[in-house]
């Protein structure tokens, strides 16, 4: 078997001849599964005074756009801000 030099794909066959078998080595997808409570906590953290969405995204290993989506879900009522955060004086009801 020879390696084709691309992403761990093994080619079974000779050069110049059609490939008879292709083996793709799979692994974890890299996607994180976060609970609704985690998403709400991270989104609420990004809403704190002096905190930027970009810094929050880097800190938690997500994207800015994901946090913006979670913030929108909080506004729509699909995510609930944790009691400990909602009780802080700079969060309006």
């Amino acid at each position: 078997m020879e390696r084709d030099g691309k992403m761990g794909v093994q080619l079974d066959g000779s050069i110049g001849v059609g490939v008879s078998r292709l083996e793709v080595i799979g692994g974890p997808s890299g996607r994180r599964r976060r609970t609704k409570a985690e998403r709400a906590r991270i989104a609420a953290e990004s809403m704190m005074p002096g905190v930027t969405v970009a810094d929050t995204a880097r800190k938690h290993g997500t994207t800015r756009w994901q946090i913006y989506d979670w913030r929108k879900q909080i506004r729509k009522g699909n995510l609930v801000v944790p009691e400990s955060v909602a009780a802080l004086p700079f969060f309006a009801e």
Side-chain angles (χ1 to χ4, degrees), residues 5-25:
K6 297 179 186 168
M7 288 185 42
V9 175
Q10 299 284 333
L11 299 178
D12 183 12
S14 303
I15 297 176
V17 178
V19 176
S20 59
R21 187 180 75 169
L22 177 68
E23 180 181 349
V24 177
I25 301 170

Side-chain angles (χ1 to χ4, degrees), residues 22-57:
L22 177 68
E23 180 181 349
V24 177
I25 301 170
S29 68
R31 294 183 72 169
R32 292 187 182 179
R33 304 270 183 205
R34 297 188 195 271
T35 64
K36 284 189 172 189
E38 289 175 309
R39 289 180 279 179
R41 184 182 48 77
I42 293 169
E45 181 181 324
S46 74
M47 295 180 200
M48 299 290 183
V51 176
T52 65
V53 173
D55 289 340
T56 306

